[in-house]
Amino acid sequence: MTTPSLLRTPLHAAHIAAGARMAPFAGWEMPLHYGSQIDEHHATRKACGLFDVSHMGQVRITGCDALKLVQAIVTRDVAHLGDGQSAYCAMCNRAGGLLDDLIVSRLAMGDYLLVVNAGTYEGDLAQMHAVEREFGPFDARIDGCRDDWAMLAVQGPEAPAVLARVLGGGLDPPAMRMISVEWRGQAFWLSTTGYTGERGAELIAPVEMARDLWDALMAAGARPVGLAARDTLRLEQAFNLSGQDFTAQNHPFEVRLGWVVDLDKPDFCGREALRAIRAGVCPRQQCGLLPEGRRIPRHGARVLHQGKQVGVVTSGGFSPTLGRPIALGLLQSQIVKSEEPLEIDLGRGTTVPAVITPLPFLRAQPL
């Protein structure tokens, strides 16, 4: 049995040249770090980090009924979006199970760009076509266009200055905006979104200009950051990781995503199931956990109360900013409300005390 070959982003050679340690992630060979995960984390919080996120998937939905089709696919009402505006959304199956979280941007009337997660790209495309068949017919077209684009994230308090050095001044759109910019005669998209809680933008550019754009951003003061620091940055902000903090076995209300479910909008996939779930009792709830000591609880670790399992850790890591371990857990709702002391089972007979804490662990910065 042969192992499927890993996909490579257009910036693979740049990562090798920068001394990156490469690792598999969601079917891709991606940079884990460039020497020090901790330094890269701090560089993003204090200055400007540069991330290759070209493994993310892009889907274009166009046509007279593009809005109607997008509305049927996602749980959030996006009818209010104007040209160049974006919204964080979720996509569910008929049972209300979470398939993915994504960003929906309206590029123009009848033209929407959806950015989905790397590990769910193929499944998301299949789901979109299934919704098209079930809720249609629509005068609209779904095009998976991941191979057409590279995607770079420029994040940190100095990100606006770095972007201005490369793209020119005067670019200061508010958060959740998508604008067209031009560099060296080529147009591409600048989206004021991110996965770190810091100021900055994500650049969706043609593949052929990816390396030049990367090099220019590096020369302007950005520091390359790998997936390891990206994970601790998002965990500090309590941003969910698709496929880890939630799967199709979870619904939005138990993982703090109820705010992106608009049950009063036109029919969408999963609406009736989600209406029933919201009307009932939610037995589980996502929460933040602060373990004592320095040992890190990992995904799947059992959370205990008086020796009995009451939940599970979905994400855990060391927070460089706080200087301590932190974790996201999915726990029985009554335990979360009680805020009683807990223990986390680290395996091999070792447990550590833990307390529930408000989320996020850090407050996000204005984009």
Side-chain angles (χ1 to χ4, degrees):
M1 182 176 175
T2 59
T3 302
S5 58
L6 295 173
L7 299 171
R8 291 179 172 179
T9 77
L11 292 165
H12 183 269
H15 303 317
I16 299 301
R21 177 183 174 186
M22 308 298 287
F25 178 79
W28 292 77
E29 186 180 11
M30 297 294 295
L32 187 63
H33 60 73
Y34 299 84
S36 171
Q37 170 189 346
I38 301 295
D39 289 349
E40 292 165 26
H41 180 109
H42 287 312
T44 306
R45 288 276 182 251
K46 297 176 181 179
C48 180
L50 177 60
F51 305 74
D52 178 10
V53 290
S54 304
H55 59 310
M56 301 291 283
Q58 296 84 33
V59 180
R60 197 88 170 254
I61 299 181
T62 55
C64 295
D65 290 338
L67 174 59
K68 292 180 180 179
L69 177 52
V70 173
Q71 288 280 65
I73 291 170
V74 301
T75 63
R76 192 174 186 181
D77 190 349
V78 295
H80 67 281
L81 293 180
D83 292 356
Q85 293 183 332
S86 304
Y88 175 76
C89 298
M91 186 166 63
C92 289
N93 59 25
R94 268 293 183 189
L98 265 169
L99 298 176
D100 204 7
D101 59 348
L102 63 156
I103 300 292
V104 173
S105 301
R106 173 172 150 161
L107 304 181
M109 182 178 293
D111 190 355
Y112 290 81
L113 182 67
L114 284 60
V115 178
V116 304
N117 284 288
T120 55
Y121 175 69
E122 300 293 346
D124 287 355
L125 269 177
Q127 171 70 7
M128 292 175 194
H129 284 294
V131 170
E132 180 185 27
R133 292 189 297 270
E134 182 175 350
F135 288 78
F138 298 99
D139 182 5
R141 174 173 173 166
I142 300 172
D143 291 303
C145 50
R146 180 180 65 184
D147 295 339
D148 298 336
W149 303 99
M151 193 165 169
L152 289 67
V154 187
Q155 305 278 295
E158 295 180 9
V162 169
L163 288 165
R165 291 183 198 116
V166 175
L167 303 177
L171 290 176
D172 191 24
M176 302 304 287
R177 292 295 189 272
M178 176 84 80
I179 62 171
S180 178
V181 296
E182 187 172 302
W183 185 66
R184 296 183 180 177
Q186 285 189 285
F188 60 93
W189 299 105
L190 181 150
S191 174
T192 49
T193 49
Y195 198 43
T196 66
E198 295 293 337
R199 300 186 67 188
E202 295 174 315
L203 310 179
I204 305 174
V207 167
E208 59 270 17
M209 69 183 301
R211 181 62 187 269
D212 287 345
L213 188 56
W214 175 274
D215 290 344
L217 291 164
M218 289 272 287
R223 172 172 180 163
V225 180
L227 289 181
R230 187 171 184 251
D231 191 56
T232 53
L233 289 159
R234 70 92 190 169
L235 182 56
E236 289 183 339
Q237 301 294 348
F239 294 155
N240 283 307
L241 176 58
S242 178
Q244 180 165 303
D245 294 309
F246 66 79
T247 69
Q249 303 304 310
N250 302 109
H251 59 75
F253 303 110
E254 65 184 1
V255 291
R256 300 179 299 114
L257 293 182
W259 63 280
V260 298
V261 178
D262 293 319
L263 295 174
D264 294 329
K265 76 165 190 167
D267 197 14
F268 61 88
C269 187
R271 185 175 71 169
E272 294 311 310
L274 290 169
R275 178 172 283 136
I277 291 169
R278 191 171 72 171
V281 176
C282 186
R284 300 184 299 182
Q285 185 178 336
Q286 188 182 69
C287 66
L289 296 168
L290 294 178
E292 286 188 8
R294 306 286 287 182
R295 296 191 63 177
I296 299 170
R298 297 300 186 184
H299 174 75
R302 297 187 308 147
V303 181
L304 310 174
H305 177 247
Q306 297 179 352
K308 296 182 179 180
Q309 183 172 356
V310 294
V312 65
V313 170
T314 58
S315 282
F318 181 81
S319 164
T321 306
L322 299 176
R324 58 162 304 134
I326 57 176
L328 290 177
L330 189 63
L331 275 59
Q332 295 174 8
S333 295
Q334 67 268 27
I335 295 295
V336 176
K337 294 174 184 176
S338 73
E339 298 185 351
E340 293 189 21
L342 303 169
E343 290 185 321
I344 299 177
D345 183 1
L346 300 179
R348 298 184 178 180
T350 301
T351 61
V352 294
V355 295
I356 294 171
T357 188
L359 293 174
F361 300 100
L362 295 183
R363 293 294 175 185
Q365 301 299 313
L367 292 174

